[in-house]
């Protein structure tokens, strides 16, 4: 019997939530291509496939990710592949079985329901049965990870999820245009007022006590006000290096969509 080719899944984006999707699909036998921009704005780099764009490769838990420079390399690579393709030109060329939009722009940047047999949109900006087959809810709370077959996800509030009573206080934002010069590293414990980094000579200080869960890559040109870091008040360093419950819940919903599609076929 001729062996079946693995199912190809393309995931637009390689951030921490996208990596939860990638991990679920990879662990169930899909051949994965993640598409990213040249300088990803990813903050939680320790658990993001996008970190391979900067370093050439990375490992998230037990999953290896390799940056590729051509689609020919995709077929040769036995690990998860990540490719700089901000416009998604690879999608038509590879004809994937599954396409998941995890760009998290809060609006649809160009994904269409006809791009693959199964198209899933993550979070706000998509309408199920219009521009994607399914939408996955990303807002923390009772509906997190729900697979939506008609309609949209809850609109973006602009306020991050609450941890131990903190929301916007957890975020670190750039005080200036320029490049980040890190003082602390992901996984470090920090206190209120601690110097985390500087941008163009301006300090970035912690507003709360906790662990530095994420920090943007120093090679990214920052704009003033851009999110550049994240402090977790639960203060558990190990959490910085494993995929979050939220990301895995979203990945589980994508797998539900895959199984629903298989039942229909």
């Amino acid at each position: 019997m001729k062996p079946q080719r693995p199912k190809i899944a393309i995931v637009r984006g390689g951030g921490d939530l996208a990596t939860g999707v990638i991990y679920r699909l990879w662990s169930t036998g899909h051949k994965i291509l993640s598409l990213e921009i040249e300088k990803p704005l990813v903050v939680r780099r320790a658990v993001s496939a996008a970190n391979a764009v900067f370093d050439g490769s990375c490992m998230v838990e037990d999953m290896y990710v390799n940056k590729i420079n051509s689609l020919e390399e995709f077929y040769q690579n036995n690990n998860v592949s990540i490719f700089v393709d901000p416009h998604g030109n690879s999608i038509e060329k590879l004809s994937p079985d599954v396409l998941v939009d995890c760009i998290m722009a809060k609006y649809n940047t160009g994904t269409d329901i006809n791009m693959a047999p199964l198209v899933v949109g993550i979070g706000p900006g998509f309408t199920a049965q219009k521009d994607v087959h399914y939408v996955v809810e990303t807002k923390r709370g009772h509906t997190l990870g729900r697979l939506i077959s008609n309609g949209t996800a809850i609109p973006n509030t602009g306020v991050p999820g609450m941890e131990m009573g903190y929301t916007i206080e957890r975020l670190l934002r750039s005080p200036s245009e320029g490049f980040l010069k890190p003082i602390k590293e992901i996984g470090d414990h920090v206190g209120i007022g601690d110097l985390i980094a500087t941008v163009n000579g301006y300090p970035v200080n912690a507003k709360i006590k906790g662990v530095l869960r994420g920090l943007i890559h120093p090679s990214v040109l920052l704009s003033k006000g851009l999110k550049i870091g994240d402090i977790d008040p639960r203060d558990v360093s190990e959490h910085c290096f494993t995929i979050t419950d939220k990301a895995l819940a979203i990945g589980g919903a994508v797998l539900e969509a895959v199984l629903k599609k298989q039942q229909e076929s």
Side-chain angles (χ1 to χ4, degrees):
M1 181 181 295
K2 185 178 180 180
Q4 290 186 324
R5 76 165 179 87
K7 297 288 187 180
I8 294 176
I10 292 181
V11 178
R12 302 192 73 181
D16 62 305
L17 296 186
T19 303
V21 173
I22 291 167
Y23 189 86
R24 292 292 200 198
L25 293 172
W26 167 80
S27 65
T28 51
H30 288 77
K31 187 169 179 59
I32 311 293
L33 177 65
S34 172
L35 305 181
E36 260 295 354
I37 61 176
E38 186 176 358
K39 295 287 186 180
L41 302 179
V42 58
V43 168
R44 296 181 189 169
R45 290 185 287 119
V47 288
S48 295
N51 208 36
V53 174
F54 300 109
D55 297 341
S57 64
C58 69
M59 187 173 184
V60 180
E61 298 194 16
D62 58 339
M63 180 179 72
Y64 286 96
V65 183
N66 298 123
K67 180 184 179 183
I68 60 172
N69 297 307
S70 70
L71 292 183
E72 288 72 22
E73 293 180 49
F74 170 67
Y75 294 103
Q76 301 164 5
N77 183 27
N78 294 322
N79 301 316
V80 171
S81 298
I82 193 162
F83 185 50
V84 174
D85 180 11
H87 302 297
N89 297 324
S90 310
I91 299 169
E92 184 177 0
K93 295 177 181 178
L94 290 182
S95 299
D97 301 281
V98 182
L99 174 65
V100 187
D101 190 321
C102 294
I103 294 175
M104 307 304 295
K106 316 303 181 185
Y107 63 93
N108 189 344
T109 61
T111 293
D112 184 86
I113 197 170
N114 297 308
M115 286 180 165
L118 175 63
V119 182
V120 182
I122 306 301
F126 305 98
T127 301
Q129 304 308 318
K130 182 182 177 183
D131 47 4
V132 295
H133 295 100
Y134 294 100
V135 175
V136 178
E137 181 57 67
T138 57
K139 183 174 175 57
R140 282 197 179 274
H142 183 71
T143 58
L144 173 64
R146 296 273 180 173
L147 188 66
I148 301 167
S149 56
N150 283 285
T152 63
I154 297 171
N156 179 42
T157 63
V159 178
M162 183 177 292
E163 295 288 1
M164 296 181 64
Y166 297 107
T167 56
I168 58 174
E169 301 90 348
R170 298 191 293 108
L171 302 185
L172 301 172
R173 296 193 179 276
S174 179
S176 169
E177 181 178 318
F179 293 95
L180 182 88
K181 183 178 179 180
I183 306 298
K184 300 288 188 180
E185 297 181 354
I186 294 174
D188 284 351
H189 297 280
V190 300
I192 296 174
D194 281 1
L195 182 63
I196 306 299
T198 60
V199 179
N200 196 25
Y202 292 92
V204 179
N205 301 101
K207 296 178 181 178
I208 64 172
K209 177 184 177 182
V211 65
L212 185 61
R213 182 164 56 172
L215 200 61
I216 205 164
H217 197 273
S219 69
V220 177
L221 178 61
L222 308 177
S223 58
K224 185 176 181 178
L226 181 72
K227 177 182 173 181
I228 58 173
D230 176 26
I231 296 174
D232 187 344
R234 293 171 295 184
D235 207 17
V236 181
S237 293
E238 290 79 5
H239 289 179
C240 303
F241 305 101
T242 53
I243 300 170
T244 65
D245 54 346
K246 180 177 180 177
L248 290 176
I250 292 168
V254 173
L255 277 188
E256 181 184 345
V258 170
L259 292 174
K260 283 179 178 289
K261 180 63 179 178
Q262 290 177 355
Q263 289 175 340
E264 294 171 2
S265 302

